[in-house]
Amino acid sequence: MFTKYRELKESLMSARKRFAGAVTAQETTAYLLTCASQFYKYVVSSFRFSILPCVRSEPFLSIQRADEFEINIGEYMGHTEAVYKENRTRTSKETLDWFDMREEFDYAFEDFSGLDFSGADLSEIDLRYADLSNTTLTNTDFQDAMLFGTRFCHANLQNADLRYCQMHEADFTGADLTNACFTATSAYRGVPNHAEWIITGYRSLSFRDANLTNADFSRCSIHDADFTGAVMDGTIIERNRLDQFALSAKQLKTITITDADTDLDAARKGV
């Protein structure tokens, strides 16, 4: 993965010779060290997603793990980043009390799987790469939440409010999103700005095998999402945004296509 980093080093070391000693090898090495963090981000991203299939199969499942368990990537006794967490000590009430404190970064990457946050106000919370798989989230308010890479696999999100969320590479595989509102949400795949290389590319947002019956995608900016196997009966999508959605012929027949500013109740009734 650091092949390109070595190529950069060779290129800079060769180029510095043109300056007749004005740029030393030490200065070049110091500059290269400032670039290393960008390459390290790819290492972390690779492990973050390659670890998920491993933790769902043997031999990992047979390992005796503590109630609080995590896997970190980084240098021994140095800076590390968590790529997987489990926490079986949490209760729904204690966690909701913690959310009410609105800590700035504390909820990202955490394990909230299997809890019940029905009707909770989780708006504007940073839940990047948190695990909410198999969580009950009916009527939950996620407005303006940061949901980068958040896992909602097989969660119950009926009537959830996801307006204005940023949810690049979030995973809703198998989730029940009946009547969920995705108005003005955004998600894309890859690197948003190739001229300014500051982050690793995002994976596709996933709605594989999800139930999106009557979900509302009005005014959203969702690109390259995976809708394979999703139920989309009555899903609201605006005509001028259809090209953002890679849907099957069957799905196209079942969605509700509207024009901008269309009354949604009328659209569902076919008026």
Side-chain angles (χ1 to χ4, degrees), residues 116-120 135-141 156-160:
D116 186 346
F117 302 145
S118 299
T135 302
T136 303
L137 300 161
T138 54
N139 297 294
T140 301
D141 183 0
N156 185 348
L157 289 125
Q158 292 184 19
N159 300 298

Side-chain angles (χ1 to χ4, degrees), residues 221-262:
S221 180
I222 293 177
H223 299 271
D224 302 310
D226 184 356
F227 289 93
T228 304
V231 176
M232 305 189 71
D233 297 341
T235 303
I236 299 289
I237 299 176
E238 291 169 326
R239 191 181 311 277
N240 63 342
R241 299 179 189 274
L242 267 178
D243 60 345
Q244 299 178 16
F245 296 80
L247 305 181
S248 68
K250 179 181 178 180
Q251 289 169 332
L252 287 170
K253 289 179 181 178
T254 60
I255 63 173
T256 298
I257 301 174
T258 68
D259 294 307
D261 302 320
T262 297

Side-chain angles (χ1 to χ4, degrees), residues 51 55 60 63-73 78-88 90 106 108-111:
I51 200 70
V55 299
F60 181 84
I63 297 174
Q64 186 174 357
R65 306 186 297 280
D67 288 339
E68 295 184 45
F69 171 85
E70 63 183 65
I71 300 173
N72 291 272
I73 297 299
H79 173 72
T80 63
E81 291 190 41
V83 294
Y84 177 77
K85 288 187 178 183
E86 292 179 355
N87 191 323
R88 293 187 287 273
R90 291 194 172 109
D106 288 4
F109 300 94
E110 292 295 330
D111 176 17

Side-chain angles (χ1 to χ4, degrees), residues 32-145:
L32 281 164
L33 288 173
T34 67
C35 300
S37 62
Q38 302 297 335
F39 291 87
Y40 178 67
K41 289 177 181 178
Y42 280 90
V43 176
V44 174
S45 294
S46 297
F47 275 98
R48 180 177 295 131
F49 293 107
S50 62
I51 200 70
L52 294 178
C54 300
V55 299
R56 297 169 185 151
S57 59
E58 297 293 352
F60 181 84
L61 294 177
S62 297
I63 297 174
Q64 186 174 357
R65 306 186 297 280
D67 288 339
E68 295 184 45
F69 171 85
E70 63 183 65
I71 300 173
N72 291 272
I73 297 299
E75 295 183 13
Y76 179 66
M77 300 297 288
H79 173 72
T80 63
E81 291 190 41
V83 294
Y84 177 77
K85 288 187 178 183
E86 292 179 355
N87 191 323
R88 293 187 287 273
T89 66
R90 291 194 172 109
T91 66
S92 300
K93 184 182 184 307
E94 290 172 346
T95 304
L96 286 172
D97 289 342
W98 186 30
F99 285 149
D100 286 341
M101 297 173 67
R102 288 302 196 268
E103 303 286 356
E104 189 170 2
F105 300 114
D106 288 4
Y107 316 117
F109 300 94
E110 292 295 330
D111 176 17
F112 305 113
S113 59
L115 300 181
D116 186 346
F117 302 145
S118 299
D121 179 7
L122 303 184
S123 60
E124 301 182 9
I125 286 183
D126 184 350
L127 290 166
R128 281 176 293 176
Y129 299 102
D131 187 0
L132 284 90
S133 300
N134 300 297
T135 302
T136 303
L137 300 161
T138 54
N139 297 294
T140 301
D141 183 0
F142 285 101
Q143 287 188 72
D144 275 313

Side-chain angles (χ1 to χ4, degrees), residues 204-230:
S204 293
L205 171 66
S206 177
F207 290 106
R208 292 180 68 91
D209 301 319
N211 185 351
L212 290 162
T213 299
N214 292 331
D216 183 2
F217 285 92
S218 301
R219 296 189 290 114
C220 69
S221 180
I222 293 177
H223 299 271
D224 302 310
D226 184 356
F227 289 93
T228 304

